[in-house]
Amino acid sequence: MSEKVTAMIEEIKALTVLELSELVHALEEEFGVSAAAMAAPAAAAAPAAEEKTEFDVVLTGFDAAAKIKVIKVVREITGQGLADAKATVEGAPKTLKEAVSKDEAEALKKQIEEVGGKVELK
């Protein structure tokens, strides 16, 4: 690096957070650019490259009026006995299935939501 650039970097290191913020805003205005615009595409590109193939189906809650229906569906999905399924539903948030395909996860989510459960896919 040139001495000029090195000197600028040293000056920037000495700035307070408020002064650094003012510098960024001044540079954005002077050159008609946005510092956020440069960071956003890089952050957005990373998740697109790695699409999830396995999901966890998590029961996050349920409508109180539909508790029995939700217990029945959870029991059917997990293969648990009645007492275990009841404990699972009452202990929400609970993971019902781990590492399932996207299609299976969506089907399970739909099945639980139809009877009044609240589901999240992770």
Side-chain angles (χ1 to χ4, degrees), residues 58-113:
V58 180
L59 178 69
T60 58
F62 58 92
D63 293 332
K67 181 177 177 180
I68 294 172
K69 292 178 185 176
V70 174
I71 291 171
K72 287 181 181 179
V73 172
V74 167
R75 186 174 176 205
E76 180 183 316
I77 290 170
T78 61
Q80 296 176 325
L82 183 60
D84 291 335
K86 181 177 184 267
T88 298
V89 170
E90 290 174 345
K94 290 280 186 172
T95 302
L96 302 179
K97 287 261 185 166
E98 293 182 342
V100 295
S101 69
K102 183 176 182 176
D103 293 337
E104 184 180 353
E106 290 290 338
L108 294 173
K109 179 179 179 181
K110 182 180 177 191
Q111 188 179 359
I112 295 168
E113 287 178 343

Side-chain angles (χ1 to χ4, degrees), residues 111-122:
Q111 188 179 359
I112 295 168
E113 287 178 343
E114 283 177 350
V115 295
K118 294 175 181 66
V119 177
E120 190 176 293
L121 301 179
K122 294 186 177 183

Side-chain angles (χ1 to χ4, degrees), residues 19-51:
E19 291 169 333
L20 189 56
S21 175
E22 289 173 359
L23 174 64
V24 170
H25 290 296
L27 290 172
E28 287 175 339
E29 286 179 24
E30 180 69 28
F31 296 107
V33 296
S34 172
M38 299 306 283
E50 261 187 64
E51 188 173 331

